[in-house]
Amino acid sequence: MLMTALILLIVLIALSLPIAAALGVMAVTLDRTFGFLPLYQASGEVAWTASSGFLLMAIPLFVLLGEIMLRSGVADAMYDALAKWLGWLPGGVMHANIGACALFSATSGSSVATAATIGTVAVPQIDRHGYGPKLFLGTLAAGGTLGILIPPSVNLIIYGILTNTSVPQLYIAGIIPGLMLAGLFMAAIIGIVLLRPEMAGHRAHYTLAERFAGTIGVLPPIMVFVVVIGSIYAGFATPTEAAALGVVAALIIAAGRGRLNWKMLNEALEGTVVTTAMIVLIIMAAYILNMILSGIGLTSQLNQFVTGLGLSPMQMLLAVVIFYVVLGCFMETLSMMITTIPIIAPLMFSLGFDPVWYGIVMMILIETALITPPIGLNLYVVQGVRGRGPMTDVMLGALPFVVAMAAMIALLAVFPNLALWLPEMLMR
């Protein structure tokens, strides 16, 4: 049964079916082949339950927040400010790529949107300052991945829904690892340009007055972050209500920059509808599939198989890391999350791993999938923004940052309080 399900999933993905359709076909096929009852007849009720939760309403609101910020023109001013403050480091404005991605992540919640937005602003710097294109493009692809770790993150909401884990705790748990990962990315840049000075480009020099004058560019994303995260931890807003407050703050910023008009709102709403429809359809299909997997006994069979291997918790963690790194080379990240988390997460929890901690590790693994070829979405986004040159430039440039992500997972395994200290302190 287990092998049949695995082969069927691989075949459906290889046929390039939309993931929601693939999950639905797989559910019905397994039910008709191995089920004792027609479980698929309960699909309507399961789909309604999966799509009507209050927390799920936060997804379109956070997507809308990102769409508005994307079109409000804050990226240029933010990038300019960070380039002035970080450009003196070895590697120049490549550090601004990481810093701008980390800061924009706090408003968009999407890795692809972050990579596309910052990439559009940053790519002209390659020729302007003589940077090595591979490493420069790699910083954009890797920096964009921070969008699903630093809150607010749509992926963390989905993980919370799938595992019944507190989203506020997941949000606060992602802050320290997210900032540390950004720091590891910057350390990787410094190490590489010290070894390969020809990649470093020409550093720009700014006076202290110029730096402070440009600081105003980082205020809009910080304001949105404070409104969203602050309202949650001040205790007067749920994640869904905080998302609505974030949308209001983004509209105020867009109006202040003269970008708020009907055309912009129409584009933002269209983008929100398309993205939300895709996410919710996949979630509904995944819930139906998970119901059928449990009903035919596949979940318990998998549990027995893994338990029979006799792996220690750390050996199991290593196996899961390898599994996701390999799977991420061939499967889109959201699909990978929704199809695997309901099955693998309970196994990890039974071995004593904390659900909040595992959620942060899961996000880093998903980030890795975003920059590993051949399916890594951020690689294609950055190459699309660049619009010229070989795709291998982006792929090779992203490899050092995969190593940095592996180092971050190792640090979390050795020091779990990197993810758990803030939630435990704030939830007392």
Side-chain angles (χ1 to χ4, degrees), residues 252-303:
I252 293 171
I253 290 169
R257 298 184 62 84
R259 300 292 184 94
L260 185 61
N261 53 61
W262 288 114
K263 182 176 182 295
M264 187 274 276
L265 281 176
N266 185 58
E267 291 174 351
L269 289 170
E270 281 184 359
T272 300
V273 169
V274 170
T275 302
T276 304
M278 175 194 69
I279 293 172
V280 174
L281 189 59
I282 292 174
I283 289 175
M284 288 192 296
Y287 265 79
I288 294 169
L289 174 61
N290 294 332
M291 178 264 295
I292 289 175
L293 291 179
S294 298
I296 65 176
L298 185 60
T299 304
S300 60
Q301 187 180 99
L302 180 61
N303 277 324

